[in-house]
Amino acid sequence: MKVVSIKENLQILHEDNHIIVINKRVGDIVQGDKTGDKPLSEIVKEYIKEKYNKPGEVFLGVVHRLDRPTSGIVVFARTSKALERLNTMFSNRETQKTYWTVVKNKPSKAEDTLVHYLKRNEKNNTSKAHLKEVPESKNASLDYKIIKKLDNYYVLEINLHTGRHHQIRAQLNAIGCPIKGDLKYGFDRSNPDGGIHLHARKLVFNHPVTKETIKLIAPTPKDVIWNLV
């Protein structure tokens, strides 16, 4: 059964006066969009308001986003100072992001660096990976390695060098390894929960205020495939 995040069941990985980090569930939307569904940012605000008995509006800054069908680490800022510093950190790539993903087809190499030029199509909300630069495309690169072989799937660990729209999904599809459940990028059938097997597993960054190194690992969702990893 699909579980949605509410203020009573948030999967909190780290919380202090300046930041709060959540392990996002499949289907959670990080920030409000045209669907009108309640975003994770509002749920976290409700949690903070209740826990700390805060009067009035609660400040919460969205630092980065994860696609709705994915799961894993999302950082929110609890102060404007933290938000400003985190925004700079994330845009300057001063963070280490590691993803886990499940694919059906074995990549031709056990590990490799993928470099493509991604062109975004606003109309259908997809990005297409090209081997050569095309008009309005952006350079995208990542490293991957196979970390486990399952009966019918391969588990890859991915380190991003750039942060492009649907980057991992588009680049893996370009090498014939679409992500399990990702109909938008070449997989043949959907997952029962409507999600895809892409999980923001690990994040390393310097705390925006204390400067200490924060290392976070998000447990994978509980399902028959992830449970084997």
Side-chain angles (χ1 to χ4, degrees), residues 21-46:
V21 186
I22 306 294
N23 185 7
K24 171 183 126 45
R25 291 180 170 91
V26 165
D28 288 344
I29 185 166
V30 174
Q31 205 172 15
D33 72 355
K34 60 180 182 289
T35 63
D37 295 344
K38 183 185 277 192
L40 196 55
S41 55
E42 288 303 316
I43 295 163
V44 175
K45 278 187 188 181
E46 289 175 357

Side-chain angles (χ1 to χ4, degrees), residues 177-196:
C177 298
I179 294 167
K180 184 179 182 302
D182 198 357
L183 295 178
K184 203 172 234 187
Y185 288 94
F187 203 79
D188 57 1
R189 63 184 189 277
S190 58
N191 287 340
D193 63 2
I196 64 174

